[in-house]
Amino acid sequence: MKRLFGLAAACWLMLSAVLPLSAELTLPPDVMQHATEGINGVYSLDFDTAQKNIEWVFAHYPDHPFAHFGNAMIAWSRYEYEYELSDDRQRKVFEQILDDSIDGIKRWMKQNPDDPNAYMGIGALYGLRAMFSMRNRSWVTAYFSGRKAIKSLETALELDPTYYDAYFGLGIYQYYAGTLPAVIKILAKIVAIKGDPDAGVAQLNLSREKAHFTGDSSKLILIEVQNTRGSKYYNPQKSLEYIRQLRAKYPKNPLMHYVEIICLYETGNYDEVSAQAEQFLKLIGKDPFYKDIYLSRAYTALGTVQMAKGNWAQARVLFEQGREAIKNQEPSRWGVWNEVRLGQVYDVLGERDKALKQYRYVLSFHDKWGFDNAVKQLLKTPYAVPSGGDVGPLPPL
């Protein structure tokens, strides 16, 4: 579920960009039109449409925060979802655009020092850099980028106390800083950092209820929060309610569809998971937004739900079908996760030699996705179904 954060953060960048500007900075309606079309493009993963609208704004309003927000957001979304975090070239494109976007907004702020939208925007970009650095275990960069993000968002609220959209970023910081002990333990050796998850959830709900444009992004983060097992906020039924609202609003987005599958899995509605995953699979190659790279997601859902039902032989068939379906693709995070799951199935079926081969295959890849530690443990100790039959969440580790 952590990948939901990326979609919400990316949408936040675009959504923040179209907040009403102060009177002296109000833009013509055509800018707002392009902003709206760009937003719809991102939420539908129609990156060509989104990019076309961003380029128009760059041409007519150089260095306006909207252009830089949107450009960074598109680059991140493409890396996260079109390439499944698996293309190092796209990663470099994103990193360069992020740096250029931050520099561009700084230039805007020199000319417009009291524009709350500029502080909101640069706060969003620093927050995105913090998240990206955390995923890549660059803890010091993550911390200082996060601090800059929070300071900028707080400044936006000082300039405009009704700027409820700023609570989205503040809520994310408070919640994740307070619930990621591994990160906190490392950072605590360098700087003092703490968060308040209760305050974070309250701020996310405030954004969900009152924000002009970050309400939908807040729902995405709250879905992740409410699907976190063992948490006092665990409420997958509420998550299912939120994602169905979002799917109705953005019906073209296949990731909204897939998040509903995840939420159905968390509620234990396994038959509906299978039905929706079959539908998801059938749409790949037929609907222009359901791309081949999502094949592994479909087979992960189909195979994992059979694991959860105790149908291990059927799970094996589905994961092996998933492997065959992507044999001509570059490995993605979900594709490698399929290989991990297949190894676990082999272990349960008593085929330890095949399981070991699977785990070694996973370790042959550069650990872009954080699987190695868990897989190394599986090499030492065969996978066994936990007591109660809980095979764990559907998404990757």
Side-chain angles (χ1 to χ4, degrees):
M1 291 297 292
K2 291 292 188 291
R3 303 305 175 191
L4 276 177
F5 176 81
L7 180 60
C11 292
W12 177 32
L13 296 177
M14 178 71 82
L15 295 169
S16 303
V18 298
L19 289 170
L21 298 168
S22 55
E24 67 272 23
L25 295 174
T26 299
L27 296 179
D30 54 359
V31 175
M32 308 310 285
Q33 175 187 347
H34 284 279
T36 300
E37 291 179 7
I39 291 167
N40 291 337
V42 172
Y43 267 120
S44 298
L45 302 186
D46 184 355
F47 300 122
D48 291 339
T49 294
Q51 191 69 56
K52 178 181 177 181
N53 284 279
I54 290 302
E55 289 173 357
W56 185 95
V57 179
F58 265 125
H60 292 81
Y61 299 88
D63 272 345
H64 187 271
F66 165 64
H68 291 296
F69 288 156
N71 214 32
M73 176 276 300
I74 293 168
W76 168 253
S77 297
R78 297 192 81 145
Y79 175 57
E80 174 93 11
Y81 296 106
E82 189 174 23
Y83 296 96
E84 296 277 289
L85 296 172
S86 303
D87 190 311
D88 289 335
R89 290 168 298 181
Q90 187 65 29
R91 169 181 169 169
K92 291 177 181 177
V93 169
F94 160 68
E95 291 176 314
Q96 185 62 58
I97 289 176
L98 179 59
D99 289 343
D100 292 344
S101 297
I102 289 174
D103 290 342
I105 296 175
K106 286 180 178 178
R107 292 192 295 269
W108 175 270
M109 293 171 76
K110 288 181 179 180
Q111 301 296 319
N112 307 282
D114 295 325
D115 179 11
N117 298 278
Y119 287 97
M120 177 72 172
I122 204 163
L125 292 178
Y126 277 127
L128 190 57
R129 175 182 280 171
M131 179 189 69
F132 182 75
S133 299
M134 196 182 333
R135 286 184 177 175
N136 289 282
R137 302 174 179 87
S138 299
W139 309 117
V140 176
T141 300
Y143 169 73
F144 285 107
S145 295
R147 284 293 299 270
K148 290 177 181 178
I150 298 308
K151 183 178 179 180
S152 297
L153 294 172
E154 289 175 341
T155 300
L157 282 170
E158 290 172 4
L159 291 167
D160 182 356
T162 65
Y163 209 145
Y164 292 107
D165 293 82
Y167 286 109
F168 173 73
L170 293 172
I172 287 174
Y173 174 85
Q174 290 282 15
Y175 176 77
Y176 284 100
T179 57
L180 291 177
V183 175
I184 303 306
K185 184 177 180 180
I186 294 171
L187 291 178
K189 297 178 180 178
I190 308 167
V191 290
I193 181 173
K194 63 180 180 178
D196 183 340
D198 287 344
V201 170
Q203 289 170 329
L204 286 166
N205 276 301
L206 185 60
S207 170
R208 177 181 61 82
E209 295 168 358
K210 294 189 175 183
H212 289 285
F213 296 104
T214 58
D216 290 342
S217 294
S218 295
K219 285 181 181 178
L220 285 171
I221 297 299
L222 287 166
I223 288 169
E224 178 175 322
V225 170
Q226 293 161 176
N227 278 12
T228 301
R229 298 182 179 189
S231 166
K232 69 178 182 178
Y233 312 108
Y234 186 67
N235 190 346
Q237 197 62 47
K238 179 65 72 174
S239 293
L240 185 59
E241 176 187 333
Y242 287 168
I243 194 56
R244 283 177 169 168
Q245 293 170 0
L246 292 171
R247 274 201 76 192
K249 191 172 182 180
Y250 307 105
K252 292 184 178 181
N253 189 329
L255 297 178
M256 298 293 186
H257 186 180
Y258 198 78
V259 172
E260 182 175 355
I261 292 171
I262 292 172
C263 292
L264 286 165
Y265 179 88
E266 285 300 311
T267 63
N269 194 340
Y270 295 147
D271 289 342
E272 185 64 16
V273 171
S274 294
Q276 287 293 331
E278 288 284 3
Q279 181 188 24
F280 188 93
L281 181 61
K282 289 177 182 178
L283 287 170
I284 294 174
K286 294 181 180 179
D287 185 293
F289 296 109
Y290 285 72
K291 300 180 182 298
D292 287 349
I293 200 167
Y294 298 143
L295 283 166
S296 294
R297 289 176 179 263
Y299 282 104
T300 290
L302 290 167
T304 304
V305 78
Q306 293 304 320
M307 291 173 68
K309 294 170 74 172
N311 298 331
W312 296 93
Q314 183 60 24
R316 170 184 174 166
V317 170
L318 289 163
F319 287 126
E320 287 178 343
Q321 288 176 348
R323 171 203 280 167
E324 183 67 19
I326 64 166
K327 65 181 181 180
N328 295 322
Q329 291 183 11
E330 289 293 321
S332 70
R333 184 174 66 99
W334 285 85
V336 177
W337 180 233
N338 266 271
E339 302 291 347
V340 176
R341 282 301 204 185
L342 181 55
Q344 292 174 334
V345 170
Y346 285 148
D347 265 336
V348 172
L349 293 174
E351 300 180 73
R352 181 61 176 167
D353 287 344
K354 287 188 176 181
L356 291 172
K357 183 177 179 180
Q358 285 297 115
Y359 303 143
R360 294 189 185 106
Y361 177 64
V362 171
L363 292 175
S364 71
F365 296 103
H366 174 64
D367 189 22
K368 300 177 183 179
W369 309 286
F371 295 154
D372 279 12
N373 288 339
V375 173
K376 287 176 182 177
Q377 187 58 44
L378 288 168
L379 281 172
K380 297 177 182 178
T381 306
Y383 177 79
V385 184
S387 59
D390 181 9
V391 299
L394 191 157
L397 299 170

